[in-house]
């Protein structure tokens, strides 16, 4: 860890800061997970891959990460506001199911898609409904601080009174006076002292499906409250990193900061990280625009905007080719380019694992080659240390891959690097691809055995000068994305790029 000076762009300070954990080598990281009322889509994929990579890299540096990602299964109302129907309850009514059936169904499909994207499971994955007592206790603590008030069985956070002690809006840069002047007194919000106040606990109407007893009557928790309750329970009153999409910065994360300061007298997280948004062919994704694409639709190609299916690893690779704080536009051209890049990386992985160091006293170490390799390795790590810049890291990884491919084709000899640098090159490439970037080879069951058999048939046909059969096998493999490589010393295969 001492060799790396990791810098993280902190949304709170709007600057890159040197990462200094509160209690090294332990790192606490909380990331807002999905509201489980529908299938996972592209908007879920980006934060999942982003913070999985953060988790992977921190672990690679030697930190002991406790990664907490919640499941929202109550309290998230339509429009992300304090009025309207619960998103899960609404889905339950439409499908004539219990709300928990809906939550379980889409939690399961979310897990399925996250596994396909090769994201590591969080250490703890708490659900909002499993932490109602903790949320009630938080509401009471904020009331005791004089920063909330109860009206008709609902409890609201008093933003104006809080702002007398702390700055509301410091994360998002919102100015409270402008928020107040720009907010109309909407229907159903008349019981609030001020429209900018937000619900900590909502009184439940008789027809409301998801409700619990509380000191203020039967109701349910506000959306923002659950993350404060669960993060503080599992990571403490202040932890290292809070992550999520940029769309959560306001009001969700802003309200979390207010709640944390109100009851714990400190910001909940030291570093706030936000991934940027995605677009589809230059447009914001939305059901009304007809460009809403689920992950399963991407994986199967079953959507009118898709020209083909794109594998989970292609999607993961594509997400990693942009810095997490930049926008990312999904288009067929961009995804096809990502598919090609991913296959190059994985072909390199196969080759790297197959190479062995062969000493040759007639070959001298090449100082220039060694220097180029050392620089590529240094720059790859330097990119990751610079706010997890996977895009730049991948560029340097391709420079390492050029050396690996040249060794494979015989243009370079392992002895030109010496055993120490040769081993370092192979190890760095494999670790970056598999452990840090989380990419893996996608292959079907028995693929290796089948390819070995076909290559033997190809070799036998070539030896027998049966060129019709040679062409038939080559064409058949090409149809399934496999290229036969005729080399001086052997016949091999690679994924078509």
């Amino acid at each position: 860890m001492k060799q790396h000076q990791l810098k993280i762009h902190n949304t709170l300070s709007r600057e890159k800061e040197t990462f200094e954990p509160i209690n090294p080598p332990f790192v606490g990281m909380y990331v807002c997970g999905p509201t489980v009322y529908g299938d996972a889509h592209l908007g879920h994929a980006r934060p999942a891959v982003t913070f999985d990579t953060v988790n992977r890299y921190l672990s690679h540096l030697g930190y002991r990460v406790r990664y907490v990602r919640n499941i929202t299964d109550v309290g998230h109302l339509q429009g992300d506001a304090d009025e309207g129907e619960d998103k899960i309850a609404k889905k339950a009514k439409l499908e004539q199911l219990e709300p928990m059936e809906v939550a379980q169904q889409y939690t399961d499909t979310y897990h399925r898609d996250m596994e396909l994207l090769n994201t590591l499971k969080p250490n703890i994955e708490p659900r909002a409904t499993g932490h109602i007592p903790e949320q009630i206790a938080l509401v009471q603590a904020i009331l005791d601080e004089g920063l909330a008030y109860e009206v008709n069985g609902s409890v609201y956070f008093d933003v104006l009174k809080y702002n007398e002690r702390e700055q509301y809006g410091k994360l998002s840069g919102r100015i409270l006076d402008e928020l107040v002047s720009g907010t109309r007194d909407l229907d159903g919000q008349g019981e609030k002292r001020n429209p900018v106040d937000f619900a900590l606990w909502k009184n439940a109407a008789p027809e409301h499906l998801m409700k619990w007893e509380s000191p203020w009557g039967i109701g349910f928790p506000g959306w923002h409250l659950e993350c404060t309750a669960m993060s503080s329970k599992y990571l403490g009153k202040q932890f290292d990193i809070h992550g999520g999409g940029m769309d959560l910065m306001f009001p969700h994360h802003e309200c979390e900061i207010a709640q944390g300061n109100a009851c714990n007298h400190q910001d909940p997280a030291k570093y706030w990280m936000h991934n940027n948004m995605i677009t589809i062919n230059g447009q914001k994704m939305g059901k009304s625009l007809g460009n809403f694409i689920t992950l399963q639709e991407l994986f199967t190609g079953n959507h009118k905007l898709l020209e083909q299916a794109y594998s989970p690893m292609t999607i993961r690779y594509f997400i990693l080719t942009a810095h997490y704080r930049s926008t990312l536009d999904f288009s067929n051209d961009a995804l096809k380019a990502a598919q090609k890049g991913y296959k190059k990386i994985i072909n390199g992985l196969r080759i790297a694992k197959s190479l062995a160091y062969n000493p040759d006293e007639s070959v001298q170490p090449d100082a220039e080659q060694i220097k180029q390799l050392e620089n590529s390795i240094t720059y790859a790590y330097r990119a990751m240390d610079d706010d997890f810049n996977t895009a730049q890291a991948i560029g340097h990884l391709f420079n390492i891959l050029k050396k690996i491919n040249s060794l494979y084709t015989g243009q370079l000899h392992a002895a030109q690097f010496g055993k120490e640098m040769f081993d370092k090159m192979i190890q760095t490439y494999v670790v970056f691809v598999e452990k840090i970037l989380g990419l893996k080879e996608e292959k079907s069951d028995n693929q290796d055995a089948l390819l070995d058999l076909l290559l033997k048939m190809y070799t036998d046909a070539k030896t027998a000068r049966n060129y019709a059969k040679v062409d038939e096998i080559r064409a058949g493999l090409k149809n399934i994305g496999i290229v036969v490589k005729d080399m001086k010393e052997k016949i091999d295969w690679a994924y078509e790029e």
Side-chain angles (χ1 to χ4, degrees), residues 39-103:
D39 287 321
H41 51 73
L42 282 174
H44 293 118
R46 191 168 198 193
V49 171
T50 293
F51 293 103
D52 177 63
T53 308
V54 170
N55 178 28
R56 285 172 177 273
Y57 191 61
L58 289 171
S59 299
H60 173 69
L61 294 184
Y63 292 111
R64 295 180 60 183
V65 184
R66 177 178 286 177
Y67 177 18
V68 182
R69 185 185 66 206
N70 72 299
I71 295 289
T72 296
D73 55 0
V74 69
H76 197 167
L77 306 185
Q78 294 295 122
D80 300 344
D82 289 335
E83 298 300 325
E85 204 166 0
D86 185 290
K87 293 184 177 185
I88 292 170
K90 182 179 180 181
K91 186 79 168 183
K93 288 178 184 176
L94 287 172
E95 298 189 5
Q96 295 184 305
L97 297 170
E98 283 289 327
M100 285 300 100
E101 283 185 274
V102 171

Side-chain angles (χ1 to χ4, degrees), residues 249-262:
M249 192 189 307
F250 186 88
H252 188 53
H253 290 164
E254 199 74 74
C255 294
E256 280 189 64
I257 288 178
Q259 290 165 167
N261 274 290

Side-chain angles (χ1 to χ4, degrees), residues 272-332:
W272 289 81
M273 295 179 64
H274 292 92
N275 64 272
N276 211 324
M277 297 295 96
I278 63 159
T279 53
I280 313 292
N281 297 320
Q283 284 187 307
K284 184 179 179 181
M285 187 173 73
K287 290 181 179 177
S288 61
L289 295 171
N291 66 353
F292 183 87
I293 305 177
T294 69
L295 291 177
Q296 281 299 309
E297 286 170 337
L298 263 177
F299 301 157
T300 61
N302 186 26
H303 191 283
K304 63 182 181 181
L305 293 180
L306 299 175
E307 295 175 6
Q308 63 174 71
Y310 300 99
S311 74
M313 285 299 95
T314 296
I315 301 305
R316 183 180 181 104
Y317 175 82
F318 179 58
I319 291 171
L320 294 171
T321 57
H323 189 272
Y324 75 89
R325 287 192 292 113
S326 64
T327 55
L328 182 61
D329 185 53
F330 280 78
S331 68
N332 283 286

